[in-house]
Amino acid sequence: METLNGTIGRCGAVRATLIVFAVTCCYAQAQYDLLLQGGHVIDAKNKISATRDVAIRDGKIAAVEARIDPAQALKVVNLRGLYVTPGLVDIHVHVYAGTGERGSYAGDNSVYPDGFTFRAGVTTVADAGSSGWRNFDDFKQHVIDRSKTRVLAFLNIVGHGMRGPKYENDLSDMEAKPAAEMALRHKGLIIGIKTAHYAGPEWTPVEHAVEAGTLADIPVMVDFGTNHKERPLSELVTKKLRPGDIYTHVYSGLRNEQDKSGHVNPALFEARKRGVIFDVGHGGGSFAWRIAVPAIKEGFLPDSISTDLHIGSMNSGLKDMLNVMSKFLVMGLALDDVVARSTWNPAREIHHEELGNLSVGAPADVSVLRLERGEFGFADIYGARLRGDRRLTCELTLRDGKVVYDLNAITRPDWDTLPRDYRQTGDARWDAINPPPARRP
Amino acid sequence: MRIGAGLLALACALGAQPRYDILLKNGHVIDPKNGVNRIMDVAISAGKIARVAQDIAPRDAAKTADVAGLYVTPGLIDIHVHVFLWREPGGEGAQADAFSFRSGVTTMVDAGSSGWRTFPDFRSRIINHAKTRILAFLNIVGAGMGTGKEDDPAEMDAEAAAKTAKANSDVIVGLKSAHYAGPGWESVDAAVKAGELTGLPVMVDFGRINATRNINALFLDKLRPGDIYTHCFSGHREELLDTGKLNPAMEAGRKRGIVFDIGHGAGSFYWYVAVPAYEAHFYPDSISTDLHINSMNAGMKDMTNVMSKLLNLGSPLDEVIRMSTWNPAREIKRPALGSLDPGAEADVAVLRVERGNFGFVDSAGARKSGSQLIVCEMTLRAGKVVWDLNGRASEDWKTFPYQKQSWKH
């Protein structure tokens, strides 16, 4: 491992010269830090699906226009042929890694977010209940505060969070009040309450989660656990959940999402009319073609697309956010619809309306995607394959207006145009990867 | 899915069961150890390479994946990563399994994240539970890397390091000297001493140089043949002279048997060094990533991206594969790895070489265009499919025998 600290400083003079050059030549007139030029913008909130220039200043969207004068920008990136979308919002991940606890989503079953997010165009994730009120502070200190990704969280109704069946089936540790108090203490960071994996026949986990959600005025996300006739899906979505609550793993087929005749359970349509939200939550066990394909044909589309990323899902059918989005493309959804369900829809579901859009003034979280054409295959969690002719890949990701991933170096200068033994080439106003080292006082 | 070996033998005797568990059919096999570079089929049985030949019949295999148009290589070996996740906040380690299989890597060698004091924790929490095969260079600094003790000669206990290396000889494949900023040779000397005590190679990140502590002395006086100089195209240590020519010490070191490794990382690969080195016909022995949380999203990205850089610099594909399989296997003295020998553990990568307009970033953010990109399609570890980008080992969902499956989260 080697960073630039502690390496020899032969290039110090060159570096200083470059800084002076950048400051004197560009600072004066640039109105924008970065201009994304000529891409096809898909912004569901603002109902844009057309070629637009996007200008960024001070980490915020500054202008979205048919043409913006490139002379007004410090850095111009040509994105012709690519799609420019709000930074993707994945509301179902497990990223409470690092506790060392085995067999636990508050531990070794989780992944660290930054290795999966930016390279797949994701700028915001919501952890889906890996932590509860007893260990949220630890999660925050170890992961949330140290990640470059914007990490939000559904708080598990179980005080110990997702530490395994022993904890997650303990009805005595599902207290609404402390969960709601923790959520209110971290308003905006804790964006919902999660109930998950419950194996018993009681409604207690759902009821307490809804109680906590009501106290804290945030939605509940439900992984409905083991299927029980005592607590049928139809009752959950038509009676127990409130409008705005989220049913995840909707294409799992594990809890009668598809009825015996092979059709979507009518209760799901009814619940959708009530305002209950349906989320993908692909994961390692929750997405089957035999459920999803007929559901899409019947017009039962997901409100939000999410991964349920964890160590058991990351290398299987899931892979990453764009792979899951591509699955919906090849099932027939339009790209605009897929992007809406991965940006503006989930942002609204978690009450973060400043995210998931490219409105002027919004944080400049941006994904630049390529729609590849070819022969591709997509596996579900059982290892069954659906062939498709398109796949989304991520070319460029910006978080708060700064480049955090650049697959094909489209923001970078050609090496043979630079001074010999060049060092850092970026500018901290638009670049979070290769900015010159901060000047020391 | 896989049938036990005894049962398999019985079944074969009865003629009822296929001989192979999985057959990779019609791929272009590149197996540098065995000098194979042409279209061949690869059959796998009981986690081992069973046969590499032309025209192996699909009826002999329980499952056949058509890999026509793709390259079939030994599982990639990345001998410079950092995958020691600390228990406490801090550290720069990345999760091995999150980066390995999706880029064809089946073996990772941690390059000195832990020292003899911290190795037991690394082993028990990370190495023993990863699906990736994780081996390790043990840091000569007892406390390990990034601990603020890397410049402290008192931490460089060759005897203690050698003792730990011997006690963990199934995992520890070498010693690491890294980041040393002092004026002397304490770090290198201690690492070489531990290397001599154990018969293991030393990998050097040469830290800070000065008038006497330079690569000429390192290669000709200090290191032994077989020791590994990583970050070889960083330019931080006069690998390239001010004249723009490669330092003659590089060729002299190579003649002595010093091994040159890429170790790309966040700060150790620059086009202005790599291009003149290639023009001087100086190529790396092994390709490695120096994966850590600060390199993963920058110019490095992953193993196949780093390999693509060297492919576009002009190394032929079979040489790039050699630098990523058989060469590193030999460097770490693990000749059972890095090949498709019949009987070898079936670690296999299936790669695609895409043609198009690509760009590759170095550690300064400078771009070099390229026309070829290596993409990982499939990875097998010990005969099991652990990555399958396009579902090539899967069956069509319409005919798939969906059965009642146990519920997984």
Side-chain angles (χ1 to χ4, degrees):
Chain A
M1 158 174 356
E2 174 168 335
T3 55
L4 287 168
N5 300 328
T7 59
I8 57 169
R10 181 171 65 153
C11 50
V14 177
R15 184 186 297 157
T17 312
L18 283 174
I19 291 167
V20 171
F21 174 77
V23 169
T24 51
C25 109
C26 306
Y27 228 158
Q29 67 265 40
Q31 182 182 349
Y32 303 121
D33 298 328
L34 180 62
L35 175 61
L36 305 175
Q37 201 178 40
H40 182 110
V41 169
I42 300 177
D43 177 1
K45 178 193 170 190
N46 293 301
K47 299 188 171 58
I48 298 172
S49 180
T51 302
R52 289 282 185 277
D53 290 352
V54 177
I56 292 163
R57 184 187 171 90
D58 295 333
K60 308 265 195 250
I61 303 293
V64 180
E65 307 286 348
R67 190 177 179 281
I68 296 170
D69 180 7
Q72 297 300 310
L74 174 66
K75 174 77 181 176
V76 179
V77 185
N78 189 318
L79 300 179
R80 215 166 346 145
L82 301 174
Y83 292 92
V84 177
T85 77
L88 305 180
V89 179
D90 181 356
I91 61 162
H92 192 150
V93 300
H94 293 282
V95 295
Y96 184 11
T99 65
E101 185 166 72
R102 298 210 54 74
S104 163
Y105 291 85
D108 285 4
N109 287 1
S110 272
V111 302
Y112 284 100
D114 293 347
F116 286 89
T117 50
F118 297 150
R119 57 184 61 211
V122 175
T123 51
T124 298
V125 295
D127 181 275
S130 305
S131 72
W133 64 270
R134 295 180 197 276
N135 49 10
F136 178 79
D137 284 330
D138 184 67
F139 174 39
K140 180 174 184 295
Q141 187 203 341
H142 280 70
V143 177
I144 295 177
D145 293 347
R146 292 166 188 272
S147 295
K148 294 178 180 170
T149 310
R150 194 188 305 280
V151 181
L152 309 172
F154 288 89
L155 192 71
N156 205 309
I157 191 61
V158 177
H160 282 282
M162 226 172 252
R163 293 182 62 187
K166 190 175 78 171
Y167 296 95
E168 296 177 70
N169 292 317
D170 177 4
L171 290 174
S172 71
D173 191 31
M174 300 181 191
E175 298 173 80
K177 206 160 157 264
E181 279 167 6
M182 182 59 82
L184 288 167
R185 203 172 306 149
H186 297 283
K187 224 172 161 50
L189 182 55
I190 294 175
I191 45 71
I193 303 289
K194 178 88 186 282
T195 167
H197 304 169
Y198 187 60
E202 300 87 355
W203 283 105
T204 315
V206 168
E207 287 168 354
H208 287 200
V210 169
E211 188 188 340
T214 303
L215 285 170
D217 194 22
I218 49 179
V220 167
M221 178 188 272
V222 178
D223 163 326
F224 203 31
T226 307
N227 197 28
H228 278 284
K229 61 180 184 310
E230 293 87 347
R231 46 174 177 85
L233 173 65
S234 55
E235 192 176 341
L236 175 77
V237 295
T238 60
K239 299 206 169 68
K240 293 286 185 182
L241 294 185
R242 306 161 299 168
D245 287 340
I246 303 163
Y247 183 77
T248 191
H249 306 314
V250 64
Y251 302 116
S252 71
L254 296 172
R255 303 163 197 101
N256 302 325
E257 291 87 353
Q258 188 182 74
D259 67 20
K260 290 203 170 59
S261 67
H263 294 284
V264 174
N265 187 330
L268 299 194
F269 285 105
E270 193 187 330
R272 172 161 279 173
K273 278 194 201 123
R274 282 180 69 225
V276 171
I277 304 287
F278 292 92
D279 177 63
V280 173
H282 184 301
S286 301
F287 185 87
W289 291 125
R290 68 182 168 87
I291 308 296
V293 173
I296 298 298
K297 280 207 181 112
E298 284 183 56
F300 194 81
L301 276 49
D303 294 297
S304 49
I305 296 173
S306 66
T307 61
D308 189 10
L309 172 70
H310 54 77
I311 65 158
S313 64
M314 64 185 180
N315 288 332
S316 63
L318 161 65
K319 296 185 172 65
D320 62 23
M321 182 68 170
L322 292 174
N323 193 57
V324 182
M325 290 166 66
S326 299
K327 290 181 177 189
F328 286 88
L329 275 180
V330 303
M331 280 192 286
L333 271 68
L335 180 60
D336 289 1
D337 288 333
V338 170
V339 170
R341 284 160 171 75
S342 313
T343 54
W344 181 231
N345 281 12
R348 278 185 300 169
E349 292 171 17
I350 59 172
H351 302 177
H352 269 275
E353 282 83 359
E354 82 285 10
L355 301 178
N357 69 78
L358 299 175
S359 294
V360 170
D365 291 359
V366 181
S367 305
V368 177
L369 308 178
R370 178 186 298 279
L371 184 57
E372 286 194 43
R373 305 277 177 164
E375 290 177 18
F376 305 109
F378 301 90
D380 69 9
I381 62 107
Y382 297 105
R385 180 182 60 214
L386 178 69
R387 290 181 192 275
D389 62 355
R390 61 200 91 174
R391 180 190 278 291
L392 285 167
T393 55
C394 176
E395 281 285 340
L396 181 70
T397 306
L398 310 180
R399 165 84 209 272
D400 287 322
K402 305 222 164 93
V403 175
V404 286
Y405 189 74
D406 182 359
L407 180 64
N408 278 300
I410 51 182
T411 67
R412 315 311 313 184
D414 282 314
W415 77 280
D416 48 6
T417 63
L418 296 166
R420 202 172 68 73
D421 80 355
Y422 58 85
R423 279 299 189 240
Q424 298 302 69
T425 59
D427 185 299
R429 282 167 286 177
W430 56 266
D431 184 10
I433 299 175
N434 292 103
R439 276 167 292 176
R440 294 198 171 79
Chain B
M1 195 78 166
R2 186 155 51 75
I3 305 158
L7 182 57
L8 181 71
L10 177 66
C12 286
L14 297 172
Q17 289 291 334
R19 196 181 316 176
Y20 307 120
D21 298 327
I22 184 161
L23 173 63
L24 302 173
K25 185 84 186 147
N26 301 322
H28 182 128
V29 173
I30 300 179
D31 179 4
K33 179 192 174 188
N34 293 304
V36 178
N37 187 0
R38 62 185 174 125
I39 292 175
M40 301 277 261
D41 297 340
V42 177
I44 291 161
S45 181
K48 311 267 196 236
I49 302 291
R51 196 163 165 238
V52 180
Q54 288 176 309
D55 291 325
I56 300 175
R59 68 170 176 279
D60 287 340
K63 182 188 279 286
T64 298
D66 183 7
V67 292
L70 306 177
Y71 294 93
V72 178
T73 78
L76 307 179
I77 301 174
D78 182 353
I79 62 161
H80 191 151
V81 301
H82 295 280
V83 294
F84 180 23
L85 304 170
W86 294 359
R87 193 184 288 276
E88 289 309 309
E92 293 188 58
Q95 279 167 302
D97 293 346
F99 287 88
S100 54
F101 299 148
R102 56 185 62 212
S103 57
V105 174
T106 51
T107 298
M108 287 177 153
V109 187
D110 184 275
S113 304
S114 73
W116 66 270
R117 291 184 209 279
T118 54
F119 181 80
D121 179 43
F122 179 30
R123 173 152 199 168
S124 66
R125 277 195 303 114
I126 310 286
I127 296 177
N128 289 351
H129 299 290
K131 293 182 177 169
T132 311
R133 179 188 287 104
I134 301 181
L135 306 172
F137 288 96
L138 190 70
N139 205 311
I140 193 59
V141 174
M145 196 171 277
T147 54
K149 304 205 168 146
E150 291 175 82
D151 292 334
D152 180 2
E155 274 289 311
M156 298 167 191
D157 184 339
E159 308 272 347
K163 197 175 155 205
T164 296
K166 281 180 185 163
N168 296 277
S169 61
D170 56 331
V171 170
I172 293 176
V173 296
L175 285 303
K176 179 88 187 279
S177 159
H179 304 169
Y180 190 59
W185 292 94
E186 292 83 353
S187 172
V188 169
D189 286 345
V192 169
K193 186 178 168 198
E196 276 171 356
L197 288 170
T198 53
L200 295 175
V202 167
M203 176 186 272
V204 177
D205 163 326
F206 200 33
R208 198 170 299 196
I209 61 167
N210 58 40
T212 54
R213 190 182 190 274
N214 56 44
I215 58 171
N216 194 60
L218 179 73
F219 298 157
L220 301 184
D221 302 335
K222 292 292 182 180
L223 294 184
R224 305 159 299 166
D227 287 339
I228 303 163
Y229 183 72
T230 192
H231 306 314
C232 68
F233 290 162
S234 78
H236 291 315
R237 301 162 193 102
E238 298 177 342
E239 293 89 349
L240 192 75
L241 299 175
D242 284 341
T243 58
K245 297 281 182 214
L246 201 66
N247 191 328
M250 300 284 275
E251 274 298 351
R254 170 158 282 170
K255 278 206 188 89
R256 243 198 106 215
I258 305 300
V259 170
F260 291 87
D261 178 63
I262 290 290
H264 186 300
S268 301
F269 185 90
Y270 295 87
W271 294 123
Y272 79 80
V273 183
V275 171
Y278 262 69
E279 282 168 356
H281 307 289
F282 190 89
Y283 315 119
D285 295 298
S286 50
I287 298 173
S288 66
T289 60
D290 190 8
L291 167 72
H292 55 78
I293 60 168
N294 292 311
S295 67
M296 63 185 183
N297 288 332
M300 192 284 282
K301 295 185 174 70
D302 61 23
M303 183 68 170
T304 44
N305 189 60
V306 178
M307 290 164 66
S308 300
K309 291 181 176 188
L310 301 182
L311 184 65
N312 284 292
L313 273 169
S315 285
L317 181 63
D318 59 329
E319 281 303 307
V320 169
I321 300 302
R322 177 191 297 276
M323 295 167 186
S324 316
T325 56
W326 180 233
N327 277 10
R330 279 188 303 168
E331 292 171 17
I332 59 172
K333 301 187 178 176
R334 293 289 165 127
L337 303 177
S339 80
L340 298 176
D341 284 349
E345 200 152 296
D347 292 357
V348 182
V350 179
L351 307 173
R352 180 159 42 91
V353 178
E354 282 193 39
R355 308 277 166 162
N357 295 316
F358 307 107
F360 300 93
V361 200
D362 71 8
S363 294
R367 171 193 167 105
K368 189 171 189 302
S369 298
S371 61
Q372 301 179 84
L373 179 69
I374 300 173
V375 175
C376 177
E377 279 281 342
M378 283 177 74
T379 306
L380 288 83
R381 167 86 179 90
K384 298 261 174 63
V385 176
V386 288
W387 176 256
D388 186 359
L389 180 64
N390 281 301
R392 289 170 189 276
S394 295
E395 293 164 55
D396 194 89
W397 76 277
K398 285 177 187 154
T399 53
F400 185 84
Y402 280 108
Q403 297 143 354
K404 196 155 178 61
Q405 304 268 346
S406 63
W407 179 57
K408 300 176 281 181
H409 298 314

